[in-house]
Amino acid sequence: IHSPHKRTHKNKKSEKKIKVILQNWVRILAIKLGWVSDFDKIVIRYLNANVSLTLNYLLKIQTKCFKLLNTLQGHDDMVTGVRFSPDGHKIVSSSADKTIRIWDVASGKQIQSFQGHLDWINVTRFSPDGYTVISCSCDKTIRLWDVKSGKEIMRLGEYPFWIFDINFSPDGKYFVSGSSDKILRIWDVNSRKEIKKLEGHVNAILGTQFSPNGLMIVSASEDNTIGIWDVQTGKRLKELIGHTNAVIRAKFSLDNKFVVSCSKDKTIRIWDVELGKEIQNLGGHSDVICDVKFFPDGQTIASCSSDYTVRIWDVKSRNEIQKLEGHSDEIRCMDISSDGNTIVSGSWDYTIRIWGLQKVSN
């Protein structure tokens, strides 16, 4: 190990090479990375301790970024929900125009449209097998649709409360809803009946999701808290407290160990499920954060905001590693494909955008 004042010729040459890579990286990718400005300091600080590790890390993060692939147009009002099919080949979207649409990812063409809701549709999701779609609306109904025929095959409602979010269990046998009456409800798909109520929140429930192993449910509420619930008993296992405004979405990591949440307080927070404690707080968005999700690797997160951007974050460093810009209004929803190579975003500008992972040669 050499001191900063006694660098070898080899180290000087490596340092110069890193600086060239940095310059070319910014020029070629033409993206704004919030942490690039700090890289010079990092390089100088650690260069002499381990030149090769620093260079390898830099080359590794240089090799990928997301780029706009397609803009989908067809909705006549704000896009409120987007979700990939399990195989990643299709996208289902919902809108304030009261329609649900299915799109082909490769071509960007609309291949199906479902009509029947009488008001703004809040969200829509594919079933785990991809054969059906579920939706909930401001018309206070929950509806299930056959993807192939486009026909409504189930309707639950009308209820005296708003239903803000709905999600299938991993096996597709159940779904959970979150609503304005502060109650989580678990429903049986086959019997079409409510089988369990989960109570404890003191304000509306805006987001809800089953854990990947199907044993827990996470809920996000206007009471500024997140609940983690036992599916079998219906009891609240943990109450996660830390956000200073309404929590809009909360979602599990694929290994069931962590939850990521987003809020009107403009922060993203990561929580340890077992400990029930906050372990990361990510700030950078300038407005309400409307949706957030872990990538399959569990080390990266994507978020979208009313500040018109989608942002990608590194969990360990807490750094924003890319900002996706192009929408002309609030981005209210987003999803990540199961292979982690594609992001879809839906906006109040009436459009859906597909962003693909681009490989950059070293």
Side-chain angles (χ1 to χ4, degrees):
I1 299 173
H2 301 276
S3 72
H5 304 290
K6 295 182 180 180
R7 295 178 183 142
T8 65
H9 176 70
K10 183 179 178 180
N11 281 355
K12 289 181 179 179
K13 188 174 181 180
S14 297
E15 181 180 346
K16 183 178 180 181
K17 186 175 180 180
I18 291 173
K19 289 182 178 179
V20 170
I21 290 173
L22 279 171
Q23 293 167 358
N24 289 338
W25 183 30
V26 175
R27 175 175 57 81
I28 294 171
L29 299 183
I31 57 176
K32 295 180 180 180
L33 302 177
W35 43 279
V36 166
S37 60
D38 294 330
F39 241 112
D40 286 332
K41 296 178 183 178
I42 295 173
V43 169
I44 298 301
R45 186 181 304 163
Y46 295 105
L47 180 62
N48 294 296
N50 200 321
V51 172
S52 61
L53 287 179
T54 304
L55 182 57
N56 288 338
Y57 176 73
L58 186 57
L59 290 172
K60 181 179 178 181
I61 62 175
Q62 185 194 10
T63 58
K64 65 179 182 179
C65 71
F66 283 88
K67 180 180 179 180
L68 180 64
L69 300 181
N70 212 340
T71 300
L72 313 184
Q73 296 179 311
H75 280 297
D76 300 321
D77 210 329
M78 298 173 288
V79 180
T80 57
V82 286
R83 183 63 64 93
F84 281 103
S85 60
D87 62 11
H89 295 159
K90 295 186 286 292
I91 292 166
V92 64
S93 62
S94 59
S95 170
D97 67 10
K98 308 174 190 176
T99 69
I100 297 165
R101 305 182 188 224
I102 295 181
W103 312 79
D104 179 73
V105 173
S107 67
K109 293 182 178 180
Q110 179 184 309
I111 56 178
Q112 190 64 273
S113 178
F114 308 153
Q115 298 185 32
H117 278 296
L118 304 177
D119 206 338
W120 175 315
I121 303 170
N122 290 320
V123 296
T124 184
R125 320 289 192 196
F126 276 104
S127 60
D129 61 13
Y131 295 146
T132 54
V133 160
I134 198 167
S135 59
C136 60
S137 166
C138 289
D139 65 11
K140 301 179 182 178
T141 66
I142 298 169
R143 305 189 190 212
L144 197 68
W145 312 79
D146 180 80
V147 169
K148 187 174 181 180
S149 69
K151 292 182 179 180
E152 178 186 311
I153 56 178
M154 181 190 79
R155 184 188 306 182
L156 300 175
E158 299 171 348
Y159 299 99
F161 44 81
W162 305 104
I163 303 163
F164 293 120
D165 197 20
I166 196 162
N167 273 290
F168 280 104
S169 61
D171 60 11
K173 294 180 179 180
Y174 310 98
F175 60 87
V176 59
S177 63
S179 53
S180 61
D181 67 349
K182 314 167 193 175
I183 297 174
L184 284 161
R185 289 176 168 84
I186 301 176
W187 308 79
D188 184 280
V189 172
N190 290 327
S191 69
R192 306 182 183 184
K193 292 182 179 180
E194 174 191 313
I195 58 173
K196 198 164 292 182
K197 290 182 181 179
L198 312 182
E199 300 182 71
H201 281 295
V202 296
N203 211 331
I205 299 170
L206 303 180
T208 184
Q209 183 201 44
F210 278 91
S211 59
N213 62 13
L215 301 179
M216 297 176 287
I217 288 172
V218 64
S219 57
S221 173
E222 278 193 332
D223 64 14
N224 303 359
T225 72
I226 299 160
I228 297 177
W229 310 78
D230 182 274
V231 171
Q232 190 66 33
T233 66
K235 293 183 179 180
R236 184 162 59 183
L237 302 174
K238 303 287 182 181
E239 183 180 25
L240 309 182
I241 299 174
H243 281 294
T244 58
N245 207 329
V247 187
I248 298 176
R249 290 286 186 263
K251 297 177 183 177
F252 283 100
S253 58
L254 283 180
D255 62 7
N256 310 288
K257 294 181 179 180
F258 304 98
V259 162
V260 62
S261 60
C262 62
S263 168
K264 289 183 179 179
D265 67 11
K266 307 176 188 177
T267 69
I268 298 165
R269 303 186 188 221
I270 302 173
W271 311 79
D272 184 294
V273 172
E274 184 177 356
L275 298 177
K277 292 183 178 181
E278 178 187 316
I279 58 174
Q280 294 277 27
N281 185 327
L282 311 180
H285 280 293
S286 60
D287 208 334
V288 173
I289 306 173
C290 303
D291 208 348
V292 67
K293 187 177 182 178
F294 279 104
F295 276 81
D297 63 10
Q299 301 301 312
T300 321
I301 288 168
S303 61
C304 67
S305 169
S306 296
D307 67 9
Y308 304 7
T309 69
V310 174
R311 305 191 188 208
I312 302 169
W313 310 81
D314 178 73
V315 171
K316 288 185 178 180
S317 68
R318 295 183 292 179
N319 289 319
E320 176 192 312
I321 57 177
Q322 193 177 359
K323 185 190 298 183
L324 306 181
E325 298 178 288
H327 281 293
S328 59
D329 207 331
E330 299 181 26
I331 306 174
R332 299 308 298 262
C333 50
M334 53 135 288
D335 194 22
I336 302 168
S337 61
S338 57
D339 61 7
N341 292 334
T342 315
I343 295 172
V344 61
S345 56
S347 170
W348 281 16
D349 64 11
Y350 301 9
T351 71
I352 297 163
R353 296 188 179 230
I354 299 174
W355 314 82
L357 185 64
Q358 301 296 297
K359 294 294 182 180
V360 180
S361 61
N362 292 332

